[in-house]
Amino acid sequence: MFRLQGSKVLAVDMTGDAVKAKNGSMVAYDGQMAFKKMSGGGEGIRGMVTRRLTGEQMTVMEVKGQGTCWFADRASEINLVNLQGDKLYVESSNLLATDGGLRTGTSFTGMRGASQGNGLFTTTVEGHGQAAIMSDGPAVVLRVSSQFPLTVDPGAYVAHQGNLRQSFQSGVTFRTLMGEGGGEAFQIRFEGDGLVYVQPSERNTIAGDV
């Protein structure tokens, strides 16, 4: 259903089914399509309330029909993630599209929300199907195992999946070593077994400050 045309355009072939995508990300389509704007990135009242509290502006549209839709957003690189009943945690600004059957919601993740000023929640995608996530530059997928925990700068974090535990370490970040940023900074530490997606270009953050 999902396929890439180049690295920056997502093509979705539909036969009467639906896909949820970031509002305004469709660049072309053929066939017969119906479009519906959805409120908030999460489902139900909880998703709407948490997004209002955190100030996240994630407007989603549902596209349904017969034909092909093409999606892109600011020439971002696109990565396809296959979910087999597991859960993907992703920054809302990095989520481009999901299969209509996948469930989206929000998850409380503590201080990490300060990495984008988005509050204390991150977007979750779970079920069986495909999701398309975006990165500024080609994303690198890093494996975390029990022997090899991973520490990530919050500005480079995109998403993670698997049986991972998150914790936050205050102290010097990679950025403050370069003389940028101030205040008390932090890093994200992942332990367990899973995958972490990072981007080579750091988004504008509050310098990782809490």
Side-chain angles (χ1 to χ4, degrees):
M1 186 177 174
F2 283 20
R3 54 188 172 87
L4 293 180
Q5 292 199 205
S7 63
K8 300 180 180 180
V9 178
L10 170 70
V12 182
D13 300 313
M14 288 182 279
T15 56
D17 39 3
V19 63
K20 289 182 283 191
K22 186 174 184 178
N23 199 41
S25 63
M26 189 195 68
V27 293
Y29 73 92
D30 63 23
Q32 299 294 320
M33 298 290 169
F35 304 91
K36 181 173 70 175
K37 186 175 179 179
M38 304 175 71
S39 297
E43 295 174 347
I45 291 177
R46 180 177 179 273
M48 294 174 66
V49 169
T50 52
R51 292 191 184 283
R52 186 169 296 140
L53 289 174
T54 62
E56 287 191 65
Q57 299 298 316
M58 183 187 175
T59 309
V60 176
M61 62 179 178
E62 182 183 71
V63 185
K64 188 174 184 179
Q66 302 265 355
T68 301
C69 270
W70 288 269
F71 300 93
D73 185 51
R74 293 170 296 178
S76 297
E77 298 281 338
I78 301 171
N79 305 270
L80 298 184
V81 180
N82 292 306
L83 295 176
Q84 302 294 329
D86 50 332
K87 184 182 291 187
L88 174 74
Y89 297 81
V90 57
E91 292 282 7
S92 63
S93 60
N94 293 96
L95 182 60
L96 177 63
T98 66
D99 278 351
L102 289 173
R103 301 182 300 280
T104 55
T106 53
S107 176
F108 181 75
T109 54
M111 298 189 316
R112 191 190 52 71
S115 67
Q116 265 192 293
N118 275 1
L120 304 178
F121 295 84
T122 193
T123 297
T124 60
V125 183
E126 60 183 316
H128 290 81
Q130 287 182 297
I133 61 176
M134 299 179 292
S135 57
D136 186 1
V140 177
V141 185
L142 302 175
R143 163 69 66 178
V144 181
S145 67
S146 57
Q147 294 88 5
F148 297 100
L150 181 70
T151 302
V152 177
D153 187 293
Y157 170 81
V158 173
H160 73 272
Q161 66 184 127
N163 185 23
L164 292 176
R165 300 180 305 279
Q166 275 181 281
S167 59
F168 304 94
Q169 298 177 322
S170 61
V172 178
T173 65
F174 311 119
R175 204 178 294 102
T176 53
L177 282 172
M178 302 298 291
E180 300 177 20
E184 182 163 3
F186 69 98
Q187 302 164 335
I188 316 170
R189 181 178 173 87
F190 293 94
E191 296 176 274
D193 183 33
L195 302 174
V196 178
Y197 299 79
V198 297
Q199 60 187 12
S201 175
E202 294 176 348
R203 66 174 69 81
N204 290 326
T205 70
I206 315 171
D209 296 347
V210 182

